[in-house]
Amino acid sequence: QVEVVESGGGLVQAGGSLRLSCRASGNIFSLNAMGWYRQAPGKQRELVALITAEKGTDYGDSVKGRFTLSIENAKSTIHLQMNSLKPDDTATYSCLAKIYIGSYRSPPKDYWGQGTQVTVSS
């Protein structure tokens, strides 16, 4: 059993900053990747930032230079520092953890958090 728990989010004015955190816990053999996606009403879910063992960190084009993803491997925890926030950043942010369960013999499985709301006022 794996649990993915998010924290942070809330309401902020344009130009402000917020920090999201996400922790995976439970029956984790190894982390393959961890990151954030977001979805605004009426829009498709999009990548915010994802760190993988193979490729390092990828950022969505709309957040490059403003958002920074960091990881605490020993704690299976990631932090997303969001600066210079814009109203277009308003969305539900969801944490994804790709986790090997038991061994490397099977592909990693996806586990999602419950989502946290970020609202940026103009």
Side-chain angles (χ1 to χ4, degrees):
Q1 191 75 3
V2 173
E3 188 177 29
V4 176
V5 178
E6 302 138 335
S7 60
L11 173 64
V12 66
Q13 287 189 331
S17 298
L18 281 175
R19 187 180 192 235
L20 304 182
S21 296
C22 175
R23 181 173 183 265
S25 62
N27 186 24
I28 299 172
F29 177 77
S30 180
L31 273 179
N32 174 254
M34 217 167 160
W36 292 92
Y37 287 76
R38 69 185 183 186
Q39 187 167 20
K43 295 186 177 181
Q44 288 189 329
R45 185 169 61 192
E46 63 174 353
L47 170 70
V48 177
L50 183 72
I51 186 166
T52 65
E54 298 88 1
K55 298 196 299 180
T57 306
D58 285 329
Y59 292 95
D61 289 340
S62 62
V63 306
K64 286 179 181 177
R66 300 187 297 123
F67 291 11
T68 303
L69 184 66
S70 60
I71 186 166
E72 298 181 65
N73 274 305
K75 298 180 181 179
S76 301
T77 298
I78 57 172
H79 306 286
L80 182 69
Q81 180 64 42
M82 305 185 293
N83 297 329
S84 303
L85 283 161
K86 306 174 182 179
D88 284 348
D89 294 318
T90 296
T92 299
Y93 286 66
S94 297
C95 179
L96 167 66
K98 292 178 175 284
I99 295 171
Y100 289 99
I101 304 296
S103 72
Y104 289 118
R105 287 194 294 267
S106 299
K109 296 183 178 180
D110 290 354
Y111 294 88
W112 290 92
Q114 77 282 1
T116 186
Q117 180 66 34
V118 171
T119 302
V120 184
S121 63
S122 56

